[in-house]
Amino acid sequence: KTNMYFIIVDGAIALDKFDKYYKTNYFPSYISKFEKLGFNYIKNTQSAYPSTVHNLTSLFYLDYHVTEKNYKKYPITNVFPVILEKKNANKVPLIKNLKKINYKFRWFGNSLYNCKMSNSDFCLEGTNGSQEKNFISPNVAVTFLQRGPLIQIYSKITDFLGISIQLDQVFLYPKENDVLHEFMNKMENFKFKNQGYFFFIHNFLPHAPFVFNSDCVLKKGFEKISREKEEEILQSAAKDKNKTLEGYKEQYECMLKRVDEFVNFINKYDPDASVIITADHGNNVKNFYYLAYETFTLIKVEKKCQKDISDNL
């Protein structure tokens, strides 16, 4: 069974639209290069929804999940990544179909959405039994505390009582969001051929926070950041539109660099694979709201599937 790759480049607008609004000229050279390597860039693709959570839910449900008929009563918990938790995953159409054809689903996530937080069965380590089985996942516990009111309640009580004990900060390591790079480093010695894997790779670039330079080198001082610092970065970027535009441009260019490297990586180590590299949504660049739906899409498929490729994909 040849492997399949579904790669999200989070928040990447269409390459020709990027050129248009940043006055760059990547489209002609990159498209020519990709085509020579067996990849097709599909123009005019758009996302169904303007958010990661809903577009990835529609991916796993293989259909539109929020419609005109159910939008008033759609349960907020019935979305990605909750649908991939152990108690839910076997009901999800994509997972069910992959099991029917005996494919193994493996999830390479980022600092926000990953298999360790949701379902360790989908981590690559789960294939060899080396994954530790914990009664309570530390990642799930941390996520619960961050999203719930307990830390805020604790802070208010300690302030009121004049207690100076501080909770340890939870840190993010932004390099984990450069997921394509991490994947290539980790998988260089992996035996790919005819393994029957469906790799779901959620590359969190060019999405904010904008901490990478165009050459994918982390900016100084961002090797690790606290949740509070991340929030400060996002709020600062929201106030300074020029800073946001430059940050997005740099991380988009980093994303292009990684996609270029990944195309060569796949052709070297897994040349028979089928690959879809696409954005879950676009980005509201320069206040053009429709760009939130315009997406980057690059694919490589078997010859027998070429007939299904068109600009209406």
Side-chain angles (χ1 to χ4, degrees):
K1 293 184 174 65
T2 55
N3 300 315
M4 296 184 277
Y5 297 78
F6 198 99
I7 298 153
I8 297 294
V9 282
D10 204 301
I13 63 173
L15 185 53
D16 54 323
K17 301 297 192 304
F18 179 85
D19 275 348
K20 180 178 179 180
Y21 291 105
Y22 280 103
K23 307 281 191 274
T24 52
N25 196 34
Y26 288 108
F27 188 81
S29 59
Y30 269 80
I31 298 314
S32 175
K33 183 193 300 183
F34 290 146
E35 286 180 350
K36 288 177 183 176
L37 294 170
F39 282 74
N40 294 92
Y41 184 87
I42 310 299
K43 293 182 69 175
N44 305 318
T45 58
Q46 295 180 320
S47 61
Y49 308 96
S51 73
T52 296
V53 164
H54 286 296
N55 280 311
L56 293 187
T57 302
S58 68
L59 163 68
F60 285 98
Y61 279 161
L62 303 173
D63 201 353
Y64 298 103
H65 58 292
V66 178
T67 66
E68 291 179 349
K69 293 181 179 179
N70 69 8
Y71 74 95
K72 290 184 178 180
K73 56 184 180 181
Y74 194 85
I76 195 69
T77 54
N78 203 25
V79 294
F80 174 88
V82 178
I83 56 173
L84 294 185
E85 291 178 356
K86 292 187 180 183
K87 64 179 182 289
N88 303 322
N90 289 330
K91 305 171 192 172
V92 176
L94 177 60
I95 302 300
K96 286 169 65 176
N97 285 350
L98 289 172
K99 283 189 174 182
K100 283 181 183 178
I101 59 175
N102 201 25
Y103 266 76
K104 300 177 283 288
F105 177 83
R106 293 295 176 260
W107 177 5
F108 286 77
N110 48 65
S111 60
L112 191 60
Y113 307 111
N114 60 68
C115 61
K116 290 180 181 177
M117 285 186 175
S118 299
N119 190 339
S120 60
D121 290 347
F122 294 148
C123 297
L124 186 68
E125 291 83 356
T127 61
N128 59 19
S130 63
Q131 180 82 13
E132 289 185 14
K133 299 295 182 183
N134 298 311
F135 182 66
I136 297 177
S137 165
N139 293 289
V140 172
V142 166
T143 302
F144 170 75
L145 288 171
Q146 288 165 350
R147 294 177 180 174
L150 296 181
I151 292 178
Q152 289 87 341
I153 292 170
Y154 172 86
S155 298
K156 288 184 180 296
I157 291 173
T158 54
D159 287 344
F160 178 76
L161 296 176
I163 300 171
S164 60
I165 298 173
Q166 296 292 318
L167 288 173
D168 288 338
Q169 284 186 310
V170 177
F171 286 99
L172 293 173
Y173 295 87
K175 78 169 191 175
E176 294 177 0
N177 291 333
D178 188 5
V179 184
L180 279 175
H181 182 62
E182 296 289 307
F183 179 88
M184 288 183 283
N185 280 344
K186 184 172 186 177
M187 305 294 283
E188 194 169 6
N189 297 316
F190 187 76
K191 292 181 180 179
F192 285 100
K193 192 171 182 181
N194 299 325
Q195 294 296 309
Y197 278 105
F198 184 103
F199 292 111
F200 172 61
I201 303 172
H202 190 175
N203 192 65
F204 209 56
L205 295 175
H207 196 284
F210 303 123
V211 294
F212 286 93
N213 293 311
S214 296
D215 60 0
C216 294
V217 173
L218 269 176
K219 294 179 179 178
K220 191 174 181 181
F222 291 108
E223 290 77 16
K224 68 176 183 178
I225 57 176
S226 66
R227 293 284 184 179
E228 291 79 7
K229 182 65 176 175
E230 181 195 30
E231 190 59 33
E232 285 178 25
I233 294 169
L234 294 174
Q235 287 179 3
S236 174
K239 293 176 184 176
D240 188 343
K241 191 66 177 175
N242 289 331
K243 191 174 181 181
T244 300
L245 288 171
E246 182 58 29
Y248 182 78
K249 179 178 184 289
E250 289 179 314
Q251 292 204 166
Y252 192 101
E253 289 171 333
C254 169
M255 179 273 293
L256 280 179
K257 172 179 163 64
R258 293 302 189 220
V259 168
D260 192 9
E261 293 168 352
F262 184 79
V263 164
N264 287 289
F265 177 91
I266 284 297
N267 280 346
K268 179 179 179 180
Y269 292 104
D270 202 2
D272 298 326
S274 293
V275 183
I276 295 178
I277 303 173
T278 189
D280 49 344
H281 54 81
N283 187 283
N284 193 11
V285 178
K286 295 191 177 182
N287 293 320
F288 292 100
Y289 185 72
Y290 73 92
L291 286 176
Y293 295 88
E294 298 277 349
T295 52
F296 178 103
T297 302
L298 182 70
I299 69 173
K300 178 184 180 181
V301 298
E302 298 177 61
K303 286 183 179 179
K304 65 182 180 182
C305 297
Q306 289 283 337
K307 60 180 173 43
D308 297 317
I309 299 173
S310 74
D311 282 347
N312 292 321
L313 184 68

